[in-house]
Amino acid sequence: QAESIWQVTARRMDGARIVIALRDTSELEAASAQRRDFVANVSHELRSPLTVLAGFIETLQGPAGDDPQTRTEFLGIMAEQAARMTGLVADLLSLSRVESVEKIRPRGMVALEGVIRATLAALRPQIENAGLTVTCDLPDMPEIPGDYDQLVQVYHNLIENALKYGASGGRVEITGQHIANMPGYDGAVLRLSIRDYGEGIEPIYIPRLTERFYRVDKARSRDSGGTGLGLAIVKHILGRHRGRLIIQSQPGQGARFDTILPCR
Ligand code: ADP
């Protein structure tokens, strides 16, 4: 629980009467601290690739730039850094889009099976690169109210993570389940789980994974093109759909990310 910070204002009105207003500003303080952290994080994340780019440009402007082999190698690194910045900006835009429309309920009906097929098709090159087998066990599931593009983004982020962090496990399993009565939900839900057998996560880190920019291993995430925003986006989109994310993992035993989405 956040500590309360009281803002006190006293005003003297018509001679003897004094009005004292008490306002709890702890939430405002917390929101503004969060905003400051966020801006600091964004600046840091954008500055590191820019520093690398500036360094390489400077080198290429010198005599080293005349050597064709050095030029090819450096341009490759520069392209990678530019791609990293593009990825970060894309994730920031997604996050701000899903955050700004938090209150609007998604309209339209979506078939999750179609969402998964489309996501797997888009991720095909990464699947082949990771050398993983992806299996899908999706029973007949009813369509659910939702936003197709946003749901594609949820499963794209989760499956991409399974490919990045679960590569050592050989396989990724996607399973769907239609649950008629889920405690805490008014009616039926769809549970979709993405299971990998990779490095896994220490349980103490699990509650923080959906925080913006939180990464268990910053260097590892960055090397694989991660921004630390993927799971924050997933959590927001699921929230908009009145759903939630359940994460289970043990180090060395892989991880399982379950999405729960209501059927109506
Ligand atoms: P990133 O862009 O770093 O992948 P995410 O928000 O998607 O950011 O994930 C946050 C962190 O959670 C990752 O940096 C990683 O440490 C951890 N993580 C996510 N998915 C998995 C997974 N399937 N296995 C192990 N760790 C994971």
Side-chain angles (χ1 to χ4, degrees):
Q1 181 113 36
E3 200 180 298
S4 285
I5 298 162
W6 294 98
Q7 193 183 63
V8 182
T9 0
R11 221 177 312 144
R12 203 180 155 86
M13 296 170 76
D14 61 13
R17 247 173 83 212
I18 290 195
V19 178
I20 295 179
L22 291 179
R23 195 155 64 101
D24 179 0
T25 60
S26 49
E27 263 183 35
L28 284 175
E29 288 290 321
S32 99
Q34 257 182 21
R35 200 168 43 239
R36 274 195 306 273
D37 278 358
F38 182 66
V39 172
N41 273 322
V42 172
S43 315
H44 175 79
E45 293 296 327
L46 285 173
R47 199 167 49 203
S48 10
L50 273 176
T51 310
V52 177
L53 277 174
F56 279 101
I57 290 170
E58 206 181 306
T59 314
L60 286 177
Q61 280 170 334
D66 297 334
D67 175 35
Q69 203 182 334
T70 310
R71 223 174 31 232
T72 312
E73 189 192 331
F74 283 18
L75 286 173
I77 300 172
M78 289 164 76
E80 254 170 46
Q81 296 299 318
R84 205 178 121 196
M85 288 177 69
T86 309
L88 178 62
V89 172
D91 276 359
L92 284 169
L93 286 173
S94 299
L95 190 61
S96 103
R97 234 186 342 259
V98 292
E99 279 183 339
S100 64
V101 284
E102 191 99 50
K103 297 277 167 340
I104 304 166
R105 282 270 305 280
R107 268 172 282 177
M109 296 301 282
V110 181
L112 276 195
E113 199 193 347
V115 168
I116 297 293
R117 302 267 168 237
T119 310
L120 288 176
L123 283 169
R124 197 188 204 109
Q126 278 110 303
I127 295 173
E128 278 168 16
N129 261 342
L132 280 163
T133 310
V134 179
T135 61
C136 258
D137 180 11
L138 302 173
D140 258 353
M141 296 186 290
E143 292 192 340
I144 56 162
D147 180 306
Y148 179 86
D149 291 334
Q150 289 190 3
L151 290 172
V152 166
Q153 179 146 31
V154 164
Y155 296 106
H156 185 105
N157 291 0
L158 293 176
I159 298 171
E160 195 176 41
N161 279 350
L163 301 175
K164 283 195 303 200
Y165 304 105
S168 58
R171 68 182 197 280
V172 169
E173 293 160 0
I174 302 170
T175 23
Q177 210 184 344
H178 179 204
I179 304 172
N181 260 309
M182 174 99 177
Y185 280 87
D186 177 21
V189 299
L190 295 188
R191 177 186 199 130
L192 222 126
S193 101
I194 289 106
R195 170 88 170 96
D196 70 65
Y197 294 86
E199 62 202 55
I201 311 152
E202 285 280 358
I204 50 157
Y205 299 129
I206 291 178
R208 300 202 58 191
L209 295 185
T210 54
E211 285 174 23
R212 300 149 160 188
F213 291 113
Y214 187 82
R215 292 172 287 196
V216 176
D217 178 348
K218 273 202 190 296
R220 165 109 175 65
S221 151
R222 202 171 286 143
D223 287 348
S224 53
T227 61
L229 292 174
L231 291 178
I233 295 171
V234 166
K235 186 185 166 187
H236 264 284
I237 297 177
L238 290 175
R240 285 200 58 204
H241 287 75
R242 292 174 298 125
R244 65 194 175 104
L245 180 69
I246 301 170
I247 309 172
Q248 298 168 75
S249 183
Q250 283 297 331
Q253 291 175 25
R256 178 175 158 167
F257 288 75
D258 284 12
T259 62
I260 312 284
L261 286 161
C263 293
R264 9 177 219 113

